[in-house]
Amino acid sequence: MPGKTKLSVGYGPNIKTINVELPPSEPRPWDTVDDMTVVGTPQPRIDGPLKVSGEARYTHDIALEGLLHAAVLRSPWPCAKVSRIDVGPAAKQAGVGAAIALVGVGDKLIFAGQDVAAVAATRPELARAALASIIVEYEPQPFVVQTRDAMRDGSPQVHEAAVEERRTGADEPGAERAQGKLSGNVRPGRSQKRGDAKRALNKAPVRFEATYTTQCHTHSCLETHGVVVRWNGKKAATVWASTQSIFGVRDEFAALFGLEPSKVQVITNFMGGGFGSKFGANASGTALAKIAGDLARAADKPVKLMLDRAEEHVCTGNRPDSIQLVKLGATNKGKLTAIHVQAHGTAGIGTGAGVGRNAASVYTKVPDVLVESADVFTHAGPAVAFRAPGHTQGAFAMESAIDELARQLGMDPIDLRLAHDAHPVRRWQLELGRERFNWDARRKAAADMRARNTRVRKGVGCAVSIWGDFGGTEARVTIEIGRDGRVVVKNGVQDIGGGIGTVMAQVAAEVLHRPVEEIEIQIGDSKLGPGVGSGGSKTTSSITPAVRNAAELAKAELAELAQTALEVNSTKNLRWTAEGVSVGRQTLSWADLCKRIEGEAIVAVGFRARNSAAHPRSFPGFETPEIAGAQFAEVEIDTWTGEVRCTQVLALHDCGRVMNELTLRSQINGGIILGTGYALMEERVMDPSLGVMLNANLEQYKACGVKDVPEISIVLTEVISGNNSTGAYGIGEPATIPTAAAIANAVGDALGVHVRSLPITPAKILDALEQQQRASQGGTK
Amino acid sequence: MQPFAIIRPKRVDQARELVVGKPELRVFRAGGVDLFDRMKEGIEDPELLVELRDALTAGVELTKDQPLVPVDTNPLPPAPRYVSAGALTTLAQLAAAALPGVDALHQAAGQAATPGIRNTATLGGNLLQRPRCWYFRNRELVCLKKGGDTCLAITGDSRYHAILGGGPSFIVHPSSLATALLALDAVASVFVGDEQASPQPVLPLHELFVGPEQDPTREHKLAPGDLLTRVWIPVLDDMRSAYQAVREKRSHDWPLVEAAARLRLDQGGSMRDVRVALGHVAPIPWNASQAAALLEGQTPSAKLFAQAADAALADAAALEGNAYKIPMAKGLLRQVLHRASGLALPE
Ligand SMILES: Cc1cc2nc3c(=O)[nH]c(=O)nc-3n(C[C@H](O)[C@H](O)[C@H](O)COP(=O)(O)OP(=O)(O)OC[C@H]3O[C@@H](n4cnc5c(N)ncnc54)[C@H](O)[C@@H]3O)c2cc1C
């Protein structure tokens, strides 16, 4: 197999040949020359019928003989010392199999919702009822839940000592670790630097400065976090988990209980949403696997712990809020010379409130850049990675500032972007979007409505995203081709809703020329071999190359059987088709070919090699491709009532090779819907004087409903980069990065004034209009 | 939610009897949308649900008839015809009824909640549902409504609370139908006696609701066991009405503010019998009588509507987090007045 080879890579009309060096045994990556027949076509999910008929069994649905249901008593106080705890009375309640304390006298609780005690009982409502009999006395302490309050001198201190930064596989790969020293509740963290931004700002003839804020956003997974634990003797366990990382759960569970990882089997047949929050065995703010495991041991029965909706909001993570001071320096002609972002955000008692790479790494033509992020600790549930961690916050502030500067300079915001962004694909997307969205005409219409001061306004905006291909090499995919012709593809990866199983079947079908429906996919179980955590948008780019490589190995073995059977000199002369394998007029059917397999089956194991190319541009600090995206949004606003709707979104995304157009579009739709909720309505509300979350439900925590979804059109700007054997990258995260920023920019276009705070509610629209009116009456122009 | 039993009495007096005996443990269930939410939220754990399906009626019609009323009560407002709706009429039925003059009711019913809820929720249950305040609905908090000593919105997050008529409690009344029906000058028939034969009283809608100064732990006047049986809307000749709400979401969401208006246009084009109501601004459905007075006898104009909106909100006092409701209510009311009177809205 090839060492050095040439690949034809590129996008749109920009195709070129590059030289790449491949490890031995690595097949030549599919490039622009390869004709795909299955990969890239829209393929309905292979498990769709199970899901829509309700037959699919999620962790919530697991029922076992003797199963007990757990419930957790949680701290009602944002900060308190435990002065007494007695779970004895709970153990005596009806149906209770075990009751355990999770804190001791003298322990300090630092957010409302923290674990205090737990009970397992024969029915969920009996477990909840038994919690009421647990005796706990608390000594409430001063607390702080609002970010700005926590930043003030003398505010109650959340952590007395340094805080260990906790990372999961869903954090942005390569992001710097926070390392500053804690001062009060503030700990300076990540920074990204190029040149000397402060000096450049001082010298800039045009300066723009504004503070942008974003809200705390909860993941709101439809299937809440949860596990079912069954001990198989003292040293082994089976864990059913609603997780994005089967092996992450396995390793953490093993570590929690001092077991050999190989003695822990983790199963996730179906799962209902994670968005970054379901990486470990425990959740970020509740030790759910430890609790279930301890209860199961104490009761000597399997235990199920599924959180309820309020717990899901309060203690399983969230996207940190942010307060971002953005300063831009420019020349009079609109050349950006400096970017300086100072960001503060709260991840509650946890860490990781950085703001991603939009500011530092998109506008690479700006010479001087400084982006500083700091964590602010508050007495609230800890944050955790959330679909494109940091990036949605960062994109909102940076992309808003670009638009506001363009307005100040009298420039078109797309021109300002194009002048400072060197990524050829993003530039292509912006030009394409400008044309497809009818940008110029819509901007003119918006300006006209503003000038006439109409009651109903429309406006358009755009914003861009940056992400990387973070596909990894750790997965091992097994393919079995049986003597009966059956093809089975196995891997311990979980399908978190993206549809990886379907794409695996497509890749195997492509290589082996078999129908997709005849490929059997087995996933969702640690026994099926090393998978990959679904975070960083890397599932498809980690798994599909491994599937292809395994299938190619198996096919090579089949080819040798065919060579003998058809009596040809070289396997190169074989032609593979849907009918089987042929030479000249002779054809050996698939069934007959497989009958020649010696023993039960051919078994091959494949893995993805390291990245082999990154055309046309690599992600900063990585050898892998940088993924570009741009979105355009239209909004409609009633200026009398402040009502604001996002009516249309045009999304242009680079996603490497399109593997399954249907599930790909689904991912992009999902990203836009999430981004629309983030832009306009989702927000965790904490009571400042009680320190508790007020909207821990899906009624007052307002996620997009079907009627709030804009009309979405998607343009796939496919890029063949040569990165791996299939050419896949990820799309889950990039697709949600620019949405809120594009919507905010559209609001700015409609009103002529920018709303600098998410979510952009009717209240904030009315406030912005009032301030605009006051400013114009003040005659300061 | 804790286990409970359910019973379905055949007659209204039996229903009443069942609840009057043990009001803390027994409760009526109509559509059950609000009731089950309260039970799931753990703020109530009744033992017995008394289902009203067989004891009351559903259906809406146009009629010339009036109910018999006791000698000492006021009859219905005079009108040539009435819309009469049984307490079990669903929101979906009210939305689809297509009756003259009562567009405000159709619109309020048709925009509330979600299609699923509208198919289940009833007129009576909608009017008598409990507030949605996030302090009241949080089982761990003891607010004024639940016997505590203060309304937690005062020190807390009041973005969804009252700007008019608040204090000592600042909830907003949740019922969209109440806003529309108040503007439509509706009257409710109630069942308060155990003798089915004798005429039962009627209550004009504004008398049904109880403000927090009177009693912060309740929102309406009916004693446990009393039933709302029917609602009557006077349909005046040439009557027109409109309703509108502002929501953050387009479905499955509560109004931030709502407004409704009813009027007649006389031959000279002047507005007569004007009534204006606002919702989600006050602990009770809010009768904006100053606005109505200002409009009465005038010809519709954009300027006049803006003045009426200012008058309706003249007494508004915002808490920390809800000042936005004042301009919002004004803007919304202006739109509703344009729509009710037929004066085109500016572009
Ligand atoms: C997400 C969401 C959004 C919503 N949005 C809106 C909205 O925009 N506007 C709106 O108005 N509502 C809205 N609702 C509320 C919904 O409309 C009400 O819960 C519903 O109308 C209640 O009617 P029901 O028949 O189900 O009442 P039930 O739950 O059966 O009863 C409510 C209460 O009234 C009592 N009761 C019922 N009928 C009678 C009677 N005839 N006599 C005496 N007592 C009685 C019951 O004992 C109970 O206490 C929303 C609800 C949800 C969940």
Side-chain angles (χ1 to χ4, degrees), chain A residues 630-707:
Chain A
Q631 292 183 4
F632 289 70
E634 182 197 62
V635 298
E636 191 177 303
I637 295 173
D638 183 328
T639 59
W640 285 14
T641 61
E643 265 173 301
V644 48
R645 308 288 183 219
C646 176
T647 44
Q648 275 184 6
V649 170
L650 168 68
L652 305 102
H653 286 280
D654 158 14
C655 38
R657 178 183 296 284
V658 176
M659 304 299 293
N660 179 352
E661 197 184 319
L662 205 59
T663 48
L664 172 64
R665 285 178 183 272
S666 234
Q667 280 293 302
I668 298 175
N669 287 340
I672 291 168
I673 294 167
L674 181 69
T676 304
Y678 185 56
L680 300 178
M681 48 216 168
E682 291 188 50
E683 177 176 16
R684 179 187 75 180
V685 181
M686 298 292 289
D687 184 290
S689 57
L690 302 169
V692 301
M693 181 173 174
L694 295 175
N695 55 344
N697 51 48
L698 287 178
E699 179 179 318
Q700 281 145 331
Y701 185 91
K702 303 183 182 185
C704 263
V706 111
K707 283 189 159 182

Side-chain angles (χ1 to χ4, degrees), chain B residues 60 90-99 106 109-110:
Chain B
V60 51
T90 63
L91 270 53
Q93 287 170 318
L94 290 173
L99 294 160
H106 299 149

